Amino acid sequence: MIKNWLKIAFINYKKSWLSTIINLLGLSLGLCIFLMVFIHWQDEKSYEQWIPNKENIYLVENSNPIFGTMVVSSYPELSVSKEEFPEIEDFVIANSWKDEQVMLLADGKTAYVNPCRATSNFFEFFPFKIISGSYKNVLNGVEKIAISEETAKLLFGKEYNNSIGKTFRIDGSEKNYVVTMVYQLPKENTIFRPGFVMVSPSFIENKDGLKQWLNSSFVGYFKLKKGTDIQNLEKKITDLYNKHEKIETLAWGEKYDEKDKSKVYLTPITKMKLEAKSEGIDKGDKKSIMILLGLSALILLLSGINLINLKTAQASQRAKEVGVRKAIGSSKSKIIAQFLLENLIICVAAYIIAFASIELLLPSYNKFLGKQIQLNDYRIFIYSGVLLLVFALVSGFIPAMYLSNFKPINTLKGNFARSKSGVWLRNTILSLQLIISSFFIICSLIIHTQVKYMMNKDLGFKGDQVIHIHFKKTDWRDHYNSKKYLRLKNEVSKIAGVKDITGSVFQIGVGMFNTSSVRKAEDTAKILNNVGVGGIEYNYFKFYKMKFVSGRDIDLRLASDTISGAIANEAFIRKMGWNKSDALGKEVLPGWEDKKKYKIIGVLKDFYISGVDKPVEPMMYFNYDRNWSKDNMTNLQIKLSGDDIDGTLERIKQFWLTKAEPGYPFEYEFVDKQFAKTFEKFQKQQTLFTILNIVVLLVALLGLFALSSLLIEQKLKDVAIKKTLGADERTIVWDLTKRFLIIASIAVIISIPFGYYAMNEWLKDFAYRIEMPIWPYILSFAMLLLLTFAVVSIKAYRATKVNLVKYLKYE
């Protein structure tokens, strides 16, 4: 029986080869897109699955009105909470920042690696595989360090397995550290990939800081008892934190706002990659992934719609077959099973093609995402296999039910495809297909417009031919950083091709490193939080060709300017309630100076630091050389002559590798390209949406072409009669295409509110956004009608060339 079903299936595939190819192409495209997004989602969800007891380990996050939600906590918040609440078995601190690297030195060999400064129980939470050594007393002193296998190979070569007890230094320190363990980093996905782990000296040296509840400097994790009520524990820790927060705030002479308290969150360690409340350590973009997953599911739905529509449209071709089979005794269940088998074969073939396509596209996809995804997770094949079976069942069941419901007498006399139920089903499904297509066109056009608006926005600075070099070797003792800055500034300025040099404590394209509160000197009750600390070189504004809206720049000839003169940006004076003229001469008390007043001598036009999707934050700029900020000048910003940029870069590189920071890698970034990275997320969204839009249109138009071909094929006799009665080609083409154009028009109208809602929600993420345009909706309407007409009219025009004798000889 199954052999007979398979024979019938392949006969029908061959007979309807066009619709078979379109189904295969559409399904494989839809499955390929969906599975690629699904694989990315599964990869992001797989982080920290390797950790034993992972279900009971939680990241501690904190939210307060000044700094927002942070991944860092204070030491007493972690230690006292453990003592106060029996639900908490233990806590660990693991300060490891993705972009931080440290130079290690051992017998002339070096390793430039990522550090992790932790509490001594680090390996009780995160038990990396041991290469040599043991967990016992591995970090029971500040001079003891565990190193990764890669670090050990760099420092000790082939003898890395015997490196226990060997010593090395951290560049900038004279202290020798002893290797107590060599570990292997997890092969699984994890954010924990330190080159070495050590107990932070600050845990011992900074005893006063460890007592401060508001000194949030540590990334902490709790190990909880099984069955702990997380929400209740969050509340208890929050109440404890608020109690001490109030005590310390009042002790500093500040007013404590009972209505705007801090809050503590506990995030499961296995979910922190996507669901951390703060920016996390290396947080993924869950929102974008879920949007893409939803959109790729729509594409898969389109593929299923094509399958259903074509099967129901082919009903006339299969009706007599069903009638004959029922007449000779075949049951309805067997007929349904036969059609489901035919559909399953198509789906399995498309599934194989989809995975073959993914294998080919994976290298480019990984490069686009910046990941190393591999098709080696058996769960992906299980999940996708289950999805395939469900998809095949659902997409096959609807046409199978309709076809199996034919009555033998009626099907042997008439045509189901001309019945009202068959027409209604096809029109409804086609409408849904075109609604999705119109939705994608609208969204793609609006996303493109918003990204273009962002990229063309006046940034407030000119960063062309400017490179930024951040110091890799820094030391906050004995003014090492400021001395290094002045020395390198002087020496680099002598290199041929260098036009100018400046520096700042913040970094364009990265953001502000320091923020503080600022009060009005005349009314200390008026306070502005989160003001950027803008320590700058004297020539900074001229260097970047920034504009003043009122007042003037800092004048080196005036001591008052260099000591207490300040430049405010427009965002600052706006939030202070001043205009550009009123602000001049106003005095303020910034939080980074102890009771020292600064006088505003100029107002700078706002310029963007962190990206144009975020609002410009209030900032105050001042002479870097008069306070603590001079030790935060850990970078050079160098303007190059346009004559020989490559040669100048090579000369700077040679100087940097031999005199500035020998032994460290030379890395630089063009400031305009560095800022352009703030657009990457949205440019990727634009690229992905454009690709999805092309796929959606391709799948929809293929389905439309196949469906129109089948339906027009069924009307060839009508066409022949009309031609005989004298109808011209234009009239016949219009008659055959107008129903499709009506359906397309209705579909666009229905899609408009969905597109408007989705794009309005997307645009809410932008501080500076376009007003919702009307033209994408009009263009979508025009495009879909034009494409529909173009696709259908091809077959309609060919139908006008019908052989009249062939269709009228029996009439």
Side-chain angles (χ1 to χ4, degrees):
M1 181 177 65
I2 293 179
K3 183 180 179 181
N4 187 45
W5 287 357
L6 290 172
K7 189 180 292 185
I8 293 171
F10 282 100
I11 289 171
N12 277 296
Y13 295 151
K14 185 177 180 181
K15 183 180 178 182
S16 305
W17 64 269
L18 179 63
S19 60
T20 302
I21 291 173
I22 287 174
N23 276 333
L24 266 177
L25 182 60
L27 271 178
S28 57
L29 262 176
L31 278 167
C32 180
I33 294 293
F34 179 82
L35 289 172
M36 287 182 80
V37 178
F38 180 77
I39 288 166
H40 177 35
W41 183 45
Q42 289 299 311
D43 185 74
E44 290 286 278
K45 284 173 62 181
S46 68
Y47 275 73
E48 316 317 332
Q49 297 296 328
W50 63 276
I51 300 174
N53 200 30
K54 56 186 177 290
E55 63 278 2
N56 297 317
I57 299 176
Y58 288 76
L59 170 68
V60 185
E61 297 178 279
N62 296 271
S63 175
N64 67 49
I66 296 177
F67 298 109
T69 307
M70 308 177 296
V71 73
V72 287
S73 307
S74 67
Y75 190 87
E77 176 188 354
L78 300 169
S79 59
V80 176
S81 294
K82 176 196 171 185
E83 296 169 3
E84 291 281 332
F85 308 118
E87 300 98 314
I88 302 173
E89 290 185 350
D90 202 358
F91 77 92
V92 69
I93 291 172
N95 281 11
S96 182
W97 309 108
K98 183 182 177 183
D99 297 324
E100 183 188 8
Q101 290 190 305
V102 171
M103 179 71 78
L104 307 181
L105 309 168
D107 296 329
K109 294 183 179 180
T110 62
Y112 191 56
V113 296
N114 176 248
C116 177
R117 298 174 180 89
T119 43
S120 58
N121 61 340
F122 176 86
F123 291 105
E124 293 176 19
F125 277 70
F126 312 114
F128 296 154
K129 182 181 177 182
I130 298 173
I131 300 297
S132 58
S134 70
Y135 291 132
K136 187 177 180 182
N137 299 324
V138 64
L139 296 175
N140 66 344
V142 293
E143 76 287 349
K144 295 183 178 181
I145 288 186
I147 61 176
S148 70
E149 186 177 16
E150 290 78 7
T151 303
K153 287 178 181 178
L154 290 171
L155 292 177
F156 306 113
K158 296 179 180 179
E159 297 298 316
Y160 76 93
N161 275 326
N162 300 318
S163 55
I164 303 302
K166 292 184 179 181
T167 61
F168 61 86
R169 290 187 301 107
I170 296 175
D171 194 18
S173 170
E174 297 302 319
K175 184 182 291 186
N176 285 321
Y177 294 90
V178 180
V179 177
T180 53
M181 186 174 84
V182 178
Y183 56 83
Q184 185 182 81
L185 291 171
K187 292 182 173 62
E188 298 85 353
N189 279 341
T190 180
I191 65 164
F192 300 102
R193 296 196 173 277
F196 67 88
V197 182
M198 64 182 293
V199 173
S200 175
S202 66
F203 296 162
I204 297 172
E205 296 168 2
N206 186 20
K207 293 182 180 178
D208 291 335
L210 295 181
K211 295 176 183 177
Q212 295 177 12
W213 278 78
L214 304 188
N215 178 18
S216 296
S217 306
F218 308 104
V219 181
Y221 302 86
F222 284 143
K223 185 181 290 183
L224 308 181
K225 292 181 179 178
K226 290 183 180 179
T228 296
D229 185 334
I230 303 301
Q231 288 185 336
N232 183 49
L233 182 57
E234 282 179 337
K235 183 179 182 307
K236 290 196 293 185
I237 299 173
T238 297
D239 290 342
L240 177 66
Y241 186 88
N242 291 155
K243 173 186 170 183
H244 290 277
E245 179 183 42
K246 182 176 182 179
I247 293 170
E248 290 194 14
T249 302
L250 295 175
W252 290 345
E254 302 280 350
K255 184 179 178 182
Y256 183 71
D257 190 350
E258 293 282 354
K259 296 180 181 179
D260 210 357
K261 301 177 181 179
S262 296
K263 184 171 175 55
V264 178
Y265 299 101
L266 300 178
T267 304
I269 197 168
T270 54
K271 295 183 178 180
M272 68 178 182
K273 175 69 174 175
L274 290 176
E275 298 181 16
K277 308 294 188 302
S278 64
E279 292 189 357
I281 306 300
D282 184 18
K283 189 178 178 182
D285 189 354
K286 182 182 178 181
K287 183 177 180 181
S288 294
I289 293 173
M290 297 313 294
I291 289 172
L292 287 173
L293 195 64
L295 296 176
S296 61
L298 281 178
I299 293 175
L300 194 58
L301 177 63
L302 271 179
S303 305
I305 287 170
N306 270 353
L307 203 59
I308 294 169
N309 229 355
L310 290 174
K311 287 294 183 183
T312 54
Q314 288 174 326
S316 61
Q317 299 173 6
R318 306 292 298 271
K320 288 183 179 180
E321 174 196 331
V322 173
V324 169
R325 292 192 63 192
K326 280 195 170 184
I328 60 176
S330 182
S331 66
K332 181 179 177 180
S333 60
K334 287 184 178 180
I335 293 172
I336 290 174
Q338 178 195 340
F339 285 124
L340 286 177
L341 176 63
E342 289 182 16
N343 196 62
L344 180 63
I345 292 170
I346 290 287
C347 290
V348 170
Y351 180 77
I352 294 169
I353 295 170
F355 263 108
S357 302
I358 291 170
E359 193 68 46
L360 291 173
L361 294 170
L362 204 54
S364 300
Y365 190 52
N366 277 329
K367 185 177 179 181
F368 182 77
L369 295 174
K371 299 177 77 73
Q372 292 296 324
I373 300 173
Q374 294 181 339
L375 290 177
N376 56 4
D377 187 347
Y378 70 92
R379 290 173 297 184
I380 291 173
F381 296 97
I382 293 174
Y383 296 154
S384 59
V386 171
L387 171 70
L388 176 73
L389 291 175
V390 172
F391 182 82
L393 182 65
V394 172
S395 62
F397 188 72
I398 296 174
M401 281 296 295
Y402 271 90
L403 289 165
S404 65
N405 278 329
F406 292 172
K407 294 181 180 179
I409 295 176
N410 293 338
T411 54
L412 294 173
K413 288 182 178 181
N415 190 344
F416 168 78
R418 297 179 183 272
S419 71
K420 289 182 179 180
S421 58
V423 172
W424 178 88
L425 176 65
R426 287 195 303 275
N427 288 348
T428 301
I429 291 175
L430 179 61
S431 298
L432 181 59
Q433 196 173 35
L434 294 174
I435 287 168
I436 296 171
S437 301
S438 175
F439 172 83
F440 269 85
I441 294 172
I442 290 168
C443 293
S444 291
L445 292 172
I446 293 174
I447 289 172
H448 177 78
T449 305
Q450 173 65 25
V451 173
K452 185 179 178 182
Y453 169 78
M454 289 165 58
M455 296 186 71
N456 292 339
K457 195 168 180 62
D458 180 12
L459 303 177
F461 67 90
K462 300 293 183 183
D464 51 310
Q465 292 177 202
V466 176
I467 64 169
H468 180 281
I469 305 176
H470 195 80
F471 302 164
K472 289 184 165 54
K473 182 178 179 180
T474 55
D475 193 332
W476 275 260
R477 297 172 297 178
D478 302 322
H479 301 300
Y480 173 87
N481 293 339
S482 62
K483 291 175 184 175
K484 180 176 180 176
Y485 168 75
L486 290 171
R487 177 176 65 85
L488 295 182
K489 176 190 168 188
N490 180 56
E491 294 183 19
V492 172
S493 65
K494 298 174 184 177
I495 296 175
V498 173
K499 288 179 65 176
D500 201 1
I501 298 178
T502 194
S504 57
V505 299
F506 56 89
Q507 189 174 328
I508 291 176
V510 176
M512 296 178 291
F513 297 127
N514 305 93
T515 62
S516 185
S517 59
V518 177
R519 298 176 185 272
K520 287 183 177 180
E522 61 188 24
D523 179 14
T524 55
K526 174 62 178 178
I527 184 170
L528 188 59
N529 293 315
N530 274 343
V531 176
V533 179
I536 55 169
E537 182 63 85
Y538 305 119
N539 65 337
Y540 190 82
F541 302 129
K542 291 179 182 177
F543 184 92
Y544 284 108
K545 300 179 181 178
M546 295 174 178
K547 298 177 181 178
F548 283 80
V549 295
S550 66
R552 58 179 175 80
D553 202 345
I554 296 172
D555 190 340
L556 287 175
R557 295 169 296 180
L558 300 175
S560 59
D561 279 14
T562 61
I563 295 171
S564 59
I567 308 294
N569 68 349
E570 291 177 292
F572 178 87
I573 65 168
R574 191 163 51 246
K575 291 192 176 183
M576 275 294 192
W578 299 323
N579 61 41
K580 62 182 180 180
S581 300
D582 292 342
L584 299 179
K586 297 289 187 185
E587 291 187 325
V588 293
L589 292 165
W592 58 82
E593 295 281 354
D594 185 20
K595 299 181 181 179
K596 177 181 173 180
K597 293 181 181 178
Y598 275 76
K599 181 185 286 187
I600 296 175
I601 60 174
V603 178
L604 187 74
K605 181 179 175 62
D606 282 342
F607 71 94
Y608 294 90
I609 296 177
S610 304
V612 296
D613 59 309
K614 305 176 183 71
V616 176
E617 297 294 341
M619 289 195 71
M620 277 189 64
Y621 312 94
F622 54 90
N623 168 25
Y624 82 94
D625 199 29
R626 292 288 188 172
N627 59 23
W628 57 270
S629 66
K630 64 184 179 182
D631 287 320
N632 284 44
M633 296 285 279
T634 56
N635 64 87
L636 288 184
Q637 293 157 51
I638 307 167
K639 185 170 290 185
L640 309 177
S641 169
D643 298 333
D644 182 21
I645 291 178
D646 289 339
T648 304
L649 285 172
E650 184 59 32
R651 287 188 287 275
I652 294 172
K653 178 181 179 181
Q654 291 305 314
F655 166 79
W656 211 267
L657 292 175
T658 57
K659 296 181 180 180
E661 292 185 322
Y664 286 84
F666 173 69
E667 295 176 343
Y668 68 90
E669 191 82 61
F670 278 94
V671 168
D672 52 356
K673 292 182 180 179
Q674 188 166 269
F675 192 86
K677 288 182 179 180
T678 64
F679 297 123
E680 279 187 357
K681 171 185 173 183
F682 307 106
Q683 286 176 314
K684 284 184 176 182
Q685 288 180 359
Q686 181 187 30
T687 301
L688 286 171
F689 220 99
T690 301
I691 292 170
L692 292 179
N693 190 34
I694 291 170
V695 173
V696 163
L697 282 175
L698 183 61
V699 172
L701 294 176
L702 281 172
L704 181 63
F705 179 75
L707 179 63
S708 61
S709 297
L710 283 169
L711 296 182
I712 290 171
E713 194 74 33
Q714 294 168 6
K715 292 192 174 185
L716 291 179
K717 188 179 289 185
D718 295 347
V719 171
I721 292 170
K722 287 178 181 179
K723 285 196 72 174
T724 303
L725 295 176
D728 60 15
E729 290 180 352
R730 184 179 300 176
T731 303
I732 294 171
V733 169
W734 174 250
D735 285 343
L736 291 173
T737 57
K738 65 182 179 182
R739 60 175 291 197
F740 294 100
L741 295 176
I742 292 169
I743 292 171
S745 301
I746 294 170
V748 174
I749 292 168
I750 293 172
S751 74
I752 286 174
F754 294 103
Y756 180 87
Y757 174 78
M759 286 296 94
N760 204 41
E761 288 297 308
W762 184 75
L763 287 170
K764 284 179 181 179
D765 287 342
F766 300 91
Y768 302 99
R769 50 167 282 184
I770 58 172
E771 292 299 321
M772 184 68 77
I774 297 174
W775 66 266
Y777 302 94
I778 298 171
L779 186 57
S780 171
F781 186 84
M783 281 180 65
L784 208 58
L785 284 184
L786 187 63
L787 289 169
T788 300
F789 181 77
V791 167
V792 178
S793 62
I794 292 171
K795 189 67 179 180
Y797 179 74
R798 290 177 63 187
T800 63
K801 306 301 181 182
V802 66
N803 184 340
L804 301 182
V805 175
K806 178 181 178 181
Y807 289 94
L808 298 178
K809 64 182 178 181
Y810 296 116
E811 297 299 320

